[in-house]
Amino acid sequence: MPDPSQQIPYTIRVSHRAKHARLKLSPHEGLIVVIPQRFDKKRVPELVESRREWITKVQGTFEQRRLEGVSDTGKALPSRIELNGIGEAWSVSYRAEDRTGVLLREVSEGELLLAGLVHDEALCRRVLESWLKRRAGRKLVPQLERLATIHGFTYSSVSVRKQRSRWGSCSSKGRISLNLKLLFLPPLLVRYIMVHELCHTLHMNHSSRYWGEVARFDPDYAANDREMTHAWRFVPGWLAAE
Ligand SMILES: [Zn+2]
């Protein structure tokens, strides 16, 4: 239980760019009060006190996450995202900030920061998902384009979506869609799915002529296709959960 008579510890940080005072809360740094240069420091305790409820709530979330152990195999939000399909690994940190929504930033190569209402897990999940979609657009789409160019396939469009039960699809109009979950698969399987969908631009079925086509570009297609039956295990729990 929070004790209202207890002072909330904080650090003051004066910012040249800040226009208003705001609060930042993270598991590592604790509460930081960012104030503009002209802001009267004597007003800080009152400001902190007025946000006591929010601070207590967020600190409770941090504590709960620490106890649960943020695990990438469980459904908890990830502290690390391994995108094997494109050979990338990202660390993820969360910082509560007194703002609306959650802002995602690529702090550096391999380093993500989510700032804002980070105790809202559903919101964080959505933000991470749309980042994955952008990542897939940046990496998987050009890979499909290269494969198509090298092997002489044509398609009308390609899009990235989060799909529950399909890794990819190809419409009769040649619209290819890739599941963003491909990002988590071994590269060989990613390539297999791309070949699979590209060959559908020639045959809209799984006939022996179709598989003959697939075999030309992926001699191991049969083993890869079998492997796909179990491939959902590569998708981390936090993303699969819905
Ligand atoms: Zn198919």
Side-chain angles (χ1 to χ4, degrees):
M1 281 294 283
D3 176 2
S5 67
Q6 207 183 329
Q7 286 259 323
I8 301 170
Y10 57 83
T11 313
I12 294 180
R13 200 171 279 169
V14 180
S15 161
H16 300 274
R17 283 178 303 168
K19 291 196 177 71
H20 311 280
R22 62 197 166 92
L23 306 183
K24 285 183 178 184
L25 199 52
S26 78
H28 313 291
E29 295 182 305
L31 179 63
I32 293 170
V33 185
V34 183
I35 55 170
Q37 260 177 320
R38 288 182 306 177
F39 192 90
D40 183 0
K41 282 186 186 162
K42 282 187 221 124
R43 285 172 56 201
V44 170
E46 184 195 317
L47 174 69
V48 169
E49 197 47 49
S50 72
R51 303 290 292 149
R52 178 183 280 274
E53 203 180 325
W54 175 77
I55 295 162
T56 313
K57 185 173 157 192
V58 174
Q59 278 172 340
T61 323
F62 289 153
E63 177 60 11
Q64 196 179 341
R65 256 184 229 167
R66 194 184 62 77
L67 292 175
E68 285 169 357
V70 178
S71 140
D72 291 349
T73 51
K75 298 201 189 308
L77 288 171
S79 55
R80 201 174 156 76
I81 300 181
E82 310 249 2
L83 305 176
N84 289 328
I86 56 173
E88 292 181 3
W90 294 78
S91 70
V92 191
S93 52
Y94 302 85
R95 192 172 68 200
E97 275 182 22
D98 207 4
R99 62 155 80 228
T100 53
V102 168
L103 198 75
L104 176 145
R105 241 174 2 112
E106 292 179 6
V107 182
S108 66
E109 195 64 39
E111 211 185 329
L112 286 184
L113 172 69
L114 273 69
L117 304 175
V118 293
H119 56 277
D120 186 339
E121 286 210 17
L123 183 57
C124 288
R125 233 176 271 275
R126 280 204 300 281
V127 168
L128 284 170
E129 273 176 28
S130 50
W131 175 76
L132 285 177
K133 204 181 254 186
R134 291 197 298 277
R135 213 65 215 142
R138 285 267 294 279
K139 294 292 182 108
L140 294 180
V141 168
Q143 191 186 338
L144 183 83
E145 282 164 2
R146 275 196 303 277
L147 263 178
T149 309
I150 292 168
H151 299 303
F153 290 101
T154 51
Y155 54 85
S156 53
S157 69
V158 53
S159 61
V160 175
R161 287 190 284 167
K162 185 192 175 196
Q163 286 166 294
R164 192 189 290 267
S165 58
R166 305 170 83 178
W167 292 102
S169 63
C170 178
S171 79
S172 55
K173 298 212 164 65
R175 292 181 213 275
I176 291 179
S177 123
L178 300 173
N179 192 335
L180 62 81
K181 294 173 183 170
L182 287 170
L183 289 169
F184 298 96
L185 261 50
L188 266 176
L189 296 183
V190 175
R191 186 184 179 279
Y192 164 69
I193 291 296
M194 290 183 177
V195 167
H196 185 115
E197 300 310 335
L198 286 170
C199 286
H200 276 316
T201 61
L202 304 174
H203 305 280
M204 281 306 298
N205 50 45
H206 292 128
S207 62
S208 53
R209 283 178 64 207
Y210 165 80
W211 287 115
E213 201 69 47
V214 174
R216 286 178 54 206
F217 305 106
D218 186 354
D220 290 327
Y221 78 94
N224 287 336
D225 195 61
R226 267 198 307 280
E227 185 67 20
M228 289 312 296
T229 325
H230 312 289
W232 295 104
R233 74 180 192 279
F234 293 113
V235 181
W238 67 266
L239 180 64
E242 31 194 42

